[in-house]
Amino acid sequence: MTLRPLTLALLAALCAAPLDDVVARSAEAAPAAPAPSAITIEPARFAPPPLSAMPEEPASRLRPLITRYRADREALEHVRALVDDGWEPLYAPRRAELRAGLVADWQARLAAIGADTLNQDDRLDRLLLQRELALDAAAQAFGKERYEAVRGLLPGYDDLVALLEARRDLRQADPRRTADVLERVRRDLEARASRLTAASSAPGVSPTLALRAAQHAAALRRGLEDWHTYQSGYDPQFSWWVDAPYAALDKQLEAHGKLLRDTLGGAADPETLRADPIGDAAIAKALAAEGVDYSPAELMAAAEKELAWCQAEMDKAAREMGARDWREALERVKQRHVAPGEQPGLVVELADEAVHFLEARDLLTVPDGAKRDWRMTMLTPEYQLQAPFFLGGQDVWVAFPTDGMPHERKLNALRGNNRHFSRAVVHHELIPGHHLQHWYAQRHSTHRSSFDSPFWTEGWALYWELRLYDMGFAATPEDRVGMLFWRSHRAARILFSLGVQSGRMTPDEAVALLVDRVGHEPENAKAEVRRSIAGDYGPLYQVAYLVGGWQFRALHEERVTRGGWSEREFHDRVMREGSMPIRFLRERLFERVGEVAPGESWRFLDSPANASAR
């Protein structure tokens, strides 16, 4: 999950007798089932395999360069960070200049390496590093554009950032001059606030721009707090001159941010959903950078077809269940949850079930060390406001209602994390999904970790949702409904992500889409949209799930169905190659990595494997 994602995901193992469903939500609940059987938890195995069984990775000419670039980049980001408590949106000219110089230096170094002297792996690494450098340059330009759009709402912005950057240059602030700067900015902010208050509906002050400016104001406050603490008290002259104007400015910045956020941005209620669309041009560039040769309109059309296919499949399952339609079948499935306290045991059961299914069919290598080297944590009630379902990474975070939740939220959480929905996501988060990715990424092609792509990360886990459904992993109509619910959700994510990021759909319309066409609980739908637009993920992160799954499906069709590779050979090779856009992985698997990035269009939706989206 990243530009700034929450994490990667998790794992699984094997054993266990099934846990039966225990009651459901009300008097209409599904019939009670026998008490769950005890689960035997096998401990993780950390003993390494024999040296003869450990594959050696070939020598790489580019790997040391990638490692050095990453170290240089991390050093720059560490030194030039203006806010120490995480991501900040501030545009800093000196930092931007240094970033641009670093990118230009490394682009020149790579240009001096002739592709004809490199093998396939080194050519691939060279292209991936060139892509990363180009993306970094584009991100800087995009950040500057967005800063320029809100600059007029934050008078004194440049002066305050200059103070923060001077500290990063290890220059002590001149107390008298600094006090003058702080007081001047405070007065300018006060005057600007008066004008904004008098004309809150003035052209050009859209809620989107106001909320973006409020983010910058909040970041400036955090940065200035750290800046002030650094020198105040240690320098008597600084304290004497600066402390009072700093305190006054801090209050003014706080008030200005509240004006921007609550009055102009309309977000006084923390539950309010507000997006900051990146626009059509940025969407097109982002898709091109991932090697996705489809327009947003084409992807949305494919998502509509996928959603219609899912609903037709749900209707079939509904008939088998004796339900009137897919909505009634979905309602019955939502009522089948385990009793309080039993969700962790269910996770272990479902994780083991997935591993057994994979190994019984020789689909890929699941190392013994990967089967139990994960931890389980329950998501807090506060975190479930944004993430109402499972999350993953190296470990797994489980959603389930707590005893202190309001009654309606408790029911929403029970219904949204029922047995059949959970069965469809545990293997996504664990094995063969994110935990297995994490396990391999720590041991193979480790230098490619910075080339991460959500289309690879989420696409791989989603690909297995598609494959396992096709292979009959959903043994009952209820299980099929559970898997199809999530598949419908992934299709809807394409529709609302591209709709919201283009500015053609509001967040509230996105919530309605999830409720009306997927069957989400209203609160869960709101949490899903909030998570998608809050800034924790890149703008197209949610698009990457199903689109990446379609890409992997088409690649499997080419290499396994028509190319003669075995299932294990294909899947193990994908894991060992490491993270990258799937378009680049495709070139490597066909041994045709060239001097420049792939130019030939890849129409992966034309693959027979993706018939449901055509």
Side-chain angles (χ1 to χ4, degrees), residues 334 336-338 343 346 384 387-390 398-401 411-422 425 486 524:
K334 286 180 180 181
R336 296 178 62 84
H337 56 80
V338 297
Q343 191 79 341
L346 177 63
Q384 289 184 61
F389 308 108
F390 287 50
V398 180
F400 205 71
L411 294 180
N412 280 333
L414 279 177
R415 289 157 58 76
N417 291 281
N418 63 74
R419 162 183 282 276
H420 304 288
F421 283 15
S422 298
V425 296
W486 283 113
N524 291 347

Side-chain angles (χ1 to χ4, degrees), residues 336-392:
R336 296 178 62 84
H337 56 80
V338 297
E342 294 179 3
Q343 191 79 341
L346 177 63
V347 172
V348 175
E349 174 203 338
L350 297 177
D352 290 346
E353 181 184 34
V355 172
H356 178 73
F357 189 93
L358 298 166
E359 292 189 325
R361 291 156 183 79
D362 199 30
L363 294 178
L364 81 168
T365 301
V366 183
D368 284 341
K371 293 177 182 177
R372 279 289 186 262
D373 66 333
W374 47 278
R375 301 188 304 187
M376 191 187 314
T377 301
M378 304 303 291
L379 285 168
T380 65
E382 296 74 23
Y383 210 98
Q384 289 184 61
L385 285 173
Q386 181 171 318
F389 308 108
F390 287 50
L391 292 176

